[in-house]
Amino acid sequence: MNYYGQPGGEPNWQPSGQNNDPLPPQLYYPYGDGAAPDEKKEIRRNFNTIGAVLLTLYILTIVVCMTAYIFFAPDTAYNEYGQTVYGLADMVIGGCFPAVMAMIVFAGYCAVTRYNPKELFKTENLNGIQIGKFVMMTLFFQQLSMICTMILSNGLYSLGLEVSGLNYVIEHTPSVYAADVISAVILAPIGEELIYRGVVLRCAAKVSQRFAIFFSAFIFGIMHGNPYQFVLGFLLGIPMAIVTIKTGSLIPSIICHMANNILATVPNVVGYFNEDAGYAVTVISIPVFLILGLVVFASEAASGGLKLPPYTAYHKKRTFPILVTSWSMIVITVIYVADLIMSINPVEELPEMIEQTARLILRS
C-alpha cells in the first residue's frame, strides 16, 4: 500500500486482500458504520495536523515576506495607468519566498511527524504516457478556468468591482523576468505540491480518497486569496490529486503544475522581446489546449481512467462531520475566505493590459 491508501500502487480502488469490499484502505478502523469516539479523536487530530501546517505556512509567509518588503522594497512604483510595477525585489519576495517557506514548513512537518519524504517520490508506478495525459488534462482545466474567470471578471466589473491585487505589471528587465521564471516554473510547483498534495491530500486520503481529492483541490484554490485563482486552483487541483493518488508519487503532480506555470509564463518571456507575439501566444494557447485537452479528458473518462474511489456512508460519517470540529481547519478556512473577500474592491481604473492580468491569473 502506498502513502495515499492505494494498495500496491495499482490503478484500482480495491483494498489489498478485500476483493469484495468497496472501501479503500483506511488508516483507522476499516469496518463498522459509525465512528467510535477514539476513532473520531484520531481523525480530528489528523485534520488538525493539516490545519496546523497551513496556519504555520500562512503566518510564516506573512511575517517573512512583510519583513523583507520593509527592508528591501519599501517603495511602490506605478506606471502611467496607475498599475503597480513589480521589480526584482517584489518578484523575489512575492514569488520565491512563499515557495521556500512551503519547503521549510514541509521539512518541519516531516521532522515533527517523523515522516520520510522519500516515500512521496517513488518512481516504480510512474508511466510517461499516463503523466502526459494528466498534463494535457491539467492544461485543459487551465483554459477552462480562464473562460470561467473571464465570465466572473465581467460579472464583477458590471457590479463596479475588480480583484485589485492582480492589476499589476512586471518591470521590463531581464533579471525580473528571470526571477519570475524561477519562482513560477521551478520553486512554486515544488513547494506547493509538497504542502497541498504531500500533506493535505495525503493526510485527508487516510480517511477517504475521494473526499481528499476535492478537499485538497478546494484548499489549494482558496489559499490563493482571490476568486480568479480560486477557480483555477480548484480545477487544477482535481486532476493533480487524482494522478497523485493513482501513482502514490508527487512527481506527476509537480510536472503537471510546472506545465501549467510554463504555459502561463511563456507569453511573458516572449512578450519581453515582442509584446504582440506574447499576446498572440496567450490567444492561440487557449483554443489549442482547450481542444487537445478536451480530447484527452473525454478519452480518459470514457475508458474509466478517471474513475474515482468510492464515497460511501462509511466515509461520509468520517469526513465533513469531523472536519467541522477541527479548530485549526476552521481558523485557516476563515482566514482564506476573508482574504478572498478582501481581494475584491471597487474599480479604480480599468486595466489597460488585459492579457497581462490573464497571465497572472493562470499562474497557480
Side-chain angles (χ1 to χ4, degrees):
M1 182 187 302
N2 70 28
Y3 284 80
Y4 290 87
Q6 182 64 27
E10 299 171 0
N12 62 69
W13 311 109
Q14 293 297 330
S16 179
Q18 304 283 343
N19 293 330
N20 296 319
D21 191 341
L23 303 178
Q26 305 297 310
L27 185 68
Y28 310 106
Y29 298 89
Y31 303 106
D33 189 17
D38 289 345
E39 183 186 4
K40 288 182 180 179
K41 184 183 297 185
E42 186 66 21
I43 296 175
R44 186 179 299 110
R45 184 181 297 115
N46 188 61
F47 285 129
N48 277 332
T49 297
I50 298 173
V53 168
L54 297 176
L55 274 172
T56 301
L57 176 59
Y58 184 90
I59 295 171
L60 182 62
T61 302
I62 290 292
V63 171
V64 172
C65 289
M66 289 301 295
T67 302
Y69 272 119
I70 291 173
F71 285 100
F72 300 105
D75 300 320
T76 302
Y78 299 92
N79 64 11
E80 64 271 27
Y81 303 114
Q83 294 172 299
T84 303
V85 178
Y86 275 22
L88 181 59
D90 296 294
M91 293 306 301
V92 172
I93 296 171
C96 300
F97 278 25
V100 173
M101 293 304 104
M103 296 177 194
I104 292 174
V105 170
F106 179 76
Y109 163 80
C110 292
V112 171
T113 61
R114 298 181 180 180
Y115 176 68
N116 183 2
K118 291 182 180 179
E119 300 291 344
L120 297 176
F121 295 92
K122 291 182 177 181
T123 59
E124 60 264 29
N125 297 317
L126 302 186
N127 180 290
I129 296 177
Q130 181 187 47
I131 294 175
K133 290 179 179 179
F134 274 91
V135 167
M136 289 305 302
M137 284 187 280
T138 299
L139 297 181
F140 164 67
F141 279 112
Q142 182 198 57
Q143 306 314 314
L144 185 62
S145 71
M146 193 62 196
I147 296 173
C148 295
T149 296
M150 290 177 181
I151 297 173
L152 178 59
S153 177
N154 288 333
L156 288 176
Y157 277 121
S158 68
L159 298 174
L161 301 171
E162 67 171 341
V163 179
S164 56
L166 290 175
N167 187 10
Y168 68 88
V169 295
I170 300 174
E171 184 180 329
H172 205 64
T173 62
S175 59
V176 173
Y177 279 82
D180 184 33
V181 171
I182 292 172
S183 65
V185 177
I186 301 174
L187 296 180
I190 296 174
E192 291 179 0
E193 290 309 304
L194 287 174
I195 295 296
Y196 298 100
R197 255 61 67 179
V199 176
V200 178
L201 175 67
R202 189 181 68 87
C203 288
K206 296 174 183 177
V207 185
S208 167
Q209 292 173 326
R210 180 180 293 193
F211 169 82
I213 289 170
F214 293 98
F215 170 68
S216 63
F218 174 81
I219 294 297
F220 180 58
I222 201 170
M223 73 86 182
H224 283 89
N226 66 78
Y228 299 156
Q229 287 180 298
F230 166 73
V231 174
L232 174 65
F234 178 72
L235 289 178
L236 295 186
I238 294 173
M240 291 194 292
I242 293 175
V243 73
T244 301
I245 286 183
K246 280 182 173 292
T247 63
S249 173
L250 284 184
I251 294 176
S253 67
I254 291 176
I255 293 174
C256 290
H257 201 147
M258 286 181 172
N260 171 81
N261 287 11
I262 287 173
L263 187 58
T265 304
V266 165
N268 276 347
V269 177
V270 174
Y272 173 75
F273 300 97
N274 186 303
E275 283 193 15
D276 291 337
Y279 177 71
V281 171
T282 300
V283 172
I284 294 172
S285 65
I286 293 178
V288 169
F289 288 102
L290 191 63
I291 295 172
L292 292 178
L294 177 60
V295 170
V296 175
F297 176 75
S299 174
E300 283 296 290
S303 65
L306 297 179
K307 182 180 179 181
L308 296 177
Y311 187 67
T312 68
Y314 175 95
H315 302 103
K316 292 178 182 178
K317 294 182 179 180
R318 289 164 172 80
T319 49
F320 283 109
I322 301 178
L323 173 65
V324 296
T325 66
S326 167
W327 68 269
S328 61
M329 281 308 308
I330 292 174
V331 172
I332 192 61
T333 301
V334 169
I335 292 174
Y336 285 157
V337 171
D339 283 347
L340 188 149
I341 294 174
M342 289 189 294
S343 73
I344 304 173
N345 297 287
V347 174
E348 295 181 2
E349 183 177 350
L350 289 177
E352 296 292 331
M353 298 180 65
I354 301 299
E355 74 277 10
Q356 174 72 18
T357 304
R359 296 172 202 161
L360 298 172
I361 292 169
L362 286 172
R363 290 173 49 182
S364 180

